[in-house]
Amino acid sequence: MTPVALILLIPAIAALLLAAIPGTRLAARVNVLAAGATFLAALALLTEPRPAPGALFLVDDLNIVFIVLNTLVGFTAASFSASYIGHEVAAGRLTPVTLRFYHAMYQVMMFGMNAALLTDNIGLMWVSVELATLSTVLMVGLYRTPEALEAAWKYFILGSVGIALALFGTILVYMAAQPVLGEGTPAMVWSNLLPHAAAFDPGLLNLAFVFLLLGYGTKVGLAPLHAWLPDAHAEGPTPISAVLSGLLLNVALYAVLRFKMLMAANPATLPPGPLMAAMGLASLLFAGLMLYRRRDIKRLFAYSSIEHMGIITFAFGMGGGLANFAGLLHMAMHSLTKSAIFFSVGHVAQARGSQRIADIRGLSVSHPRLAVALALGVLAIAGLPPFGVFLSEFLLVTSTFARAPALALVLAAGLLLAFGALILRLTGFLFGDPPPEAAPVRASTLPIWLHMGLVLAAGIHLPSELVAWFQAAARLLG
Amino acid sequence: MATLPIDIAHLMAGGLVLMSFLMIYQDRLSALLDVFTAHAVVLAASVAWQAHLQGDTFHLYLTALIALAFKAVVIPMALARIVRRLGIHREVETVVGTVPTMLAGIGLAALSIVLMMRLTAGADPLAREDLAFALTVVLLGLLMMVTRRNAVSQVVGFMSLENGLILAAAGARGMPLVVEIAVAFSILIAFIVIGVFLFRIRERFDTVDLAALDEVRGDRA
């Protein structure tokens, strides 16, 4: 069986299985096992000979980066979820029935994301992104509190509007391709579209890209289409906040990138880069300002995700070898760091029984181990050396200075703005008098150390294989 | 007379736009559901006519049938039941008044027609005018979603938006079967999701007015 088939079949079968398993602990283990097996299958993609691009699947340098990252964080988040969920059941916030549903939905979401990354058909890509979105909507509403329902409803409505615009864009791409490639499936296969893109009608392609950027951009959380993101992160279970930030945003960005490549292959169209760069910078500045007024710890880091997706979109919008490389590296580093932060935040919120920033202080006294984990994560995401995030931000700023110094100043200002807010909050979390009733945390911090270790290692030394791999993907992006 | 089949297609697509305009100013839920049913019937007729024009397109007839069965029969009946059970046949609370909404709708229709006609000068005339109508229906659906506060009417707005998408997909010659079935399927899933939400919202608030949810929005402390 090929790795591609395994990557899709394991989550699909696991979803069915998990829907049938009543025991909570067994289900959590099966969930971890399935996610781990999917990750191994994704690693096999690196060594196995790649299948030729067909009507259904495409494996190239670009999506391998995404798929390996996706399955790795999917696996560690499942392990975190297993210990997180145990506490939620003990606290009576979740029942075994909702948990069965939660685990099945987790695998459905993994299936949707993996399918979106692997497919070669732009119609199937749309269906897969929608599937992943719907499964996360259900998980955001899991606690059924009024706040969770409000968040899920908002996410659902804004997500649906985004996805509807993306479908309209997809139809327009098909209509642009159909006179050249003929009717039927060939005109929806991405690897078929790319070599012929120069012959497509540029007007239709322009219009299509605007719809696709707005549609999938809603899911990326780019300002001004980000309104769903902070609520969805804050009110859902924390493992879902971690995969939303670490994975789903990337998958939507991947869809935008595929269409950007199509646009770039047609010289008569509008250049897509400046549009993306502008939206990216706007998100960075907006989120940087919003970070200062947060009162909820998960919302704080949700805005930080908007900020970083802005940076990544800006990097891909600038284009060129170095900026694309920086964008890919930043995406990987952000996924690892942000999910590690959410893992720590999940444990912290359980220990304090609150997500309010005002309630979270003195962690260094009450929970020293968690305090170190959280501090490392926040320092890394704020962009301090020696972590990998610093490396990618440094590469991006220097490459932007070489090409557009004015934009580089704005970029640097945005980065400093966000840096200030995060460090300000971090001192509040770590120091001060802890509330007397602080509960001990009996949770595994292993996934956090694993992620932070990878981010630290990438910041100190990038192996040449990894550099060559990312460079190949960056070249594909043009 | 060679243009007659195309004219009929345009007539039906234009009818769909008209139905969308009728929907945006309905201020009673039961009337809104009736107009939505008509919207779905016109969509089904329009898709079936496209199937006839394009010839040898069994999957388009199937799409028309799905639109007729689900959107004109099953979903309006289910929503009507919810509305009756909750006893909210009363007025829909519109955030913006009828006149500004209609003016905004006319603006959106003009915008989409100008945009499409300018940008797609090279494309097949049938497809391109259909696309202009489809974009209008999509934008009017969006308009309806932002001007309503009631969960049921937002759902109806979303479904009318999806109808516009189906019209666009049907107008694109020979769009593959896989995608259409998938589209219909996703809409079904979407509906189930919404149904679950409506159920839960009622459980919590005894109302489907989203203003009740606004009061519990987080981060206001």
Side-chain angles (χ1 to χ4, degrees):
Chain A
M1 194 170 281
T2 62
V4 172
L6 280 176
I7 291 172
L8 296 177
L9 276 179
I10 296 172
I13 294 171
L16 291 177
L17 202 63
L18 286 168
I21 297 178
T24 307
R25 298 187 84 185
L26 180 64
R29 273 183 206 154
V30 171
N31 194 28
V32 175
L33 265 182
T38 318
F39 174 54
L40 290 180
L43 282 183
L45 272 183
L46 291 174
T47 54
E48 292 270 316
R50 291 177 196 169
L56 281 181
F57 299 115
L58 165 78
V59 180
D60 63 8
D61 286 319
L62 179 63
N63 65 1
I64 285 194
V65 176
F66 280 84
I67 199 99
V68 170
L69 186 67
N70 199 50
T71 48
L72 169 65
V73 179
F75 170 50
T76 49
S79 332
F80 163 67
S81 161
S83 74
Y84 178 86
I85 287 303
H87 187 282
E88 294 296 283
V89 173
R93 293 183 71 192
L94 290 173
T95 64
V97 179
T98 45
L99 268 182
R100 204 202 279 194
F101 177 73
Y102 164 84
H103 281 125
M105 277 300 139
Y106 189 91
Q107 290 296 333
V108 170
M109 173 193 71
M110 291 307 293
F111 172 80
M113 290 196 292
N114 291 345
L117 292 175
L118 279 172
T119 185
D120 198 6
N121 183 314
I122 56 173
L124 281 181
M125 180 194 266
W126 179 83
V127 173
S128 314
V129 175
E130 168 139 18
L131 183 67
T133 308
L134 285 177
S135 55
T136 44
V137 167
L138 291 172
M139 288 195 280
V140 166
L142 197 69
Y143 286 128
R144 299 198 187 189
T145 58
E147 291 84 0
L149 287 179
E150 153 81 10
W153 180 262
K154 202 178 191 181
Y155 178 24
F156 173 71
I157 290 294
L158 283 173
S160 307
V161 169
I163 210 86
L165 295 181
L167 178 60
F168 200 76
T170 308
I171 295 170
L172 287 174
V173 171
Y174 171 79
M175 290 191 70
Q178 180 244 331
V180 181
L181 291 168
E183 292 175 18
T185 319
M188 295 213 88
V189 174
W190 186 85
S191 59
N192 235 348
L193 295 176
L194 189 63
H196 297 103
F200 296 171
D201 183 64
L204 271 179
L205 269 189
N206 283 339
L207 194 60
F209 187 73
V210 170
F211 275 101
L212 289 162
L213 183 62
L214 286 178
Y216 286 123
T218 308
K219 319 228 63 115
V220 182
L222 294 177
L225 309 161
H226 64 279
W228 62 273
L229 195 144
D231 287 19
H233 278 66
E235 305 304 341
T238 311
I240 298 313
S241 316
V243 284
L244 270 178
S245 258
L247 304 180
L248 195 61
L249 306 185
N250 291 350
V251 172
L253 186 63
Y254 168 81
V256 175
L257 288 180
R258 283 284 179 203
F259 289 107
K260 175 183 180 258
M261 289 160 80
L262 278 188
M263 288 286 282
N266 187 329
T269 54
L270 289 173
L275 274 177
M276 291 175 68
M279 279 182 94
L281 268 190
S283 310
L284 167 64
L285 290 174
F286 169 79
L289 287 170
M290 294 298 278
L291 279 173
Y292 285 89
R293 294 287 306 275
R294 295 307 100 199
R295 295 190 174 86
D296 179 303
I297 187 167
K298 281 165 85 177
R299 273 171 214 272
L300 175 76
F301 290 113
Y303 275 101
S304 156
S305 290
I306 298 177
E307 177 220 334
H308 284 275
M309 291 322 282
I311 297 173
I312 299 164
T313 311
F314 173 77
F316 289 132
M318 290 301 291
L322 195 53
N324 280 338
F325 181 87
L328 280 174
L329 185 65
H330 195 75
M331 187 193 75
M333 291 304 122
H334 171 250
S335 289
L336 290 171
T337 316
K338 189 54 63 64
S339 40
I341 290 178
F342 272 114
F343 298 163
S344 324
V345 166
H347 291 315
V348 168
Q350 283 183 335
R352 289 292 155 84
S354 165
Q355 289 177 198
R356 292 190 44 194
I357 288 176
D359 294 336
I360 299 168
R361 51 204 152 72
L363 278 180
S364 59
V365 178
S366 59
H367 302 87
R369 187 188 281 253
L370 267 182
V372 173
L374 185 64
L376 282 181
V378 176
L379 291 178
I381 209 74
L384 280 183
F387 295 101
V389 180
F390 169 74
L391 179 63
S392 53
E393 284 181 356
F394 181 75
L395 281 175
L396 181 62
V397 172
T398 47
S399 72
T400 311
F401 256 118
R403 291 164 57 195
L407 288 184
L409 284 179
V410 182
L411 176 69
L415 289 174
L416 286 175
L417 201 62
F419 176 83
L422 287 170
I423 298 302
L424 189 73
R425 286 287 173 242
L426 180 64
T427 49
F429 295 147
L430 295 185
F431 307 116
D433 295 326
E437 74 278 17
V441 178
R442 262 175 270 104
S444 153
T445 46
L446 193 64
I448 306 176
W449 303 124
L450 176 70
H451 281 199
M452 292 320 296
L454 285 174
V455 173
L456 183 63
I460 292 170
H461 172 67
L462 274 182
S464 54
E465 292 84 12
L466 200 68
V467 173
W469 181 26
F470 275 34
Q471 272 172 344
R475 262 198 303 280
L476 265 186
L477 281 169
Chain B
M1 286 310 279
T3 58
L4 185 63
I6 296 183
D7 289 341
I8 294 179
H10 288 160
L11 179 69
M12 289 204 253
L16 203 61
V17 174
L18 189 66
M19 291 295 158
S20 285
F21 269 111
L22 283 180
M23 264 200 304
I24 57 177
Y25 72 82
Q26 293 303 322
D27 56 1
R28 286 161 58 89
L29 272 181
S30 45
L32 181 66
L33 287 177
D34 289 344
V35 180
F36 175 73
T37 309
H39 199 269
V41 170
V42 174
L43 173 78
S46 181
V47 172
W49 184 253
Q50 284 283 352
H52 173 68
L53 283 188
Q54 294 180 19
D56 188 32
T57 45
F58 165 70
H59 65 282
L60 273 188
Y61 283 115
L62 193 65
T63 313
L65 196 68
I66 293 173
L68 196 63
F70 278 108
K71 293 190 160 171
V73 180
V74 177
I75 289 176
M77 272 170 65
L79 285 178
R81 239 185 103 189
I82 293 178
V83 169
R84 253 202 322 279
R85 264 216 211 148
L86 293 172
I88 46 169
H89 323 264
R90 61 194 162 79
E91 290 202 354
V92 169
E93 298 161 46
T94 39
V95 177
V96 188
T98 307
V99 176
T101 316
M102 286 303 277
L103 286 178
I106 293 167
L108 287 176
L111 173 79
S112 66
I113 287 167
V114 169
L115 198 67
M116 278 296 171
M117 293 300 158
R118 284 260 171 92
L119 282 176
T120 61
D124 170 18
L126 171 59
R128 115 184 218 239
E129 280 157 29
D130 251 7
L131 213 56
F133 285 126
L135 182 61
T136 312
V137 175
V138 168
L139 292 179
L140 289 178
L142 272 177
L143 179 70
M144 186 164 156
M145 286 175 80
V146 296
T147 53
R148 303 289 174 128
R149 308 228 63 160
N150 183 295
V152 172
S153 40
Q154 281 197 347
V155 170
V156 172
F158 179 62
M159 287 192 302
S160 77
L161 190 158
E162 295 259 31
N163 283 354
L165 291 174
I166 301 231
L167 183 69
R173 275 189 98 82
M175 198 145 146
L177 168 71
V178 181
V179 180
E180 264 140 1
I181 291 210
V183 168
F185 195 62
S186 323
I187 292 164
L188 185 65
I189 300 177
F191 180 68
I192 295 170
V193 175
I194 298 170
V196 170
F197 274 113
L198 287 180
F199 181 67
R200 288 191 189 166
I201 288 171
R202 190 190 60 200
E203 210 174 53
R204 288 281 166 189
F205 303 102
D206 290 320
T207 168
V208 280
D209 190 336
L210 292 173
L213 283 183
D214 277 348
E215 283 159 23
V216 296
R217 196 145 77 195
D219 218 22
R220 283 258 180 93

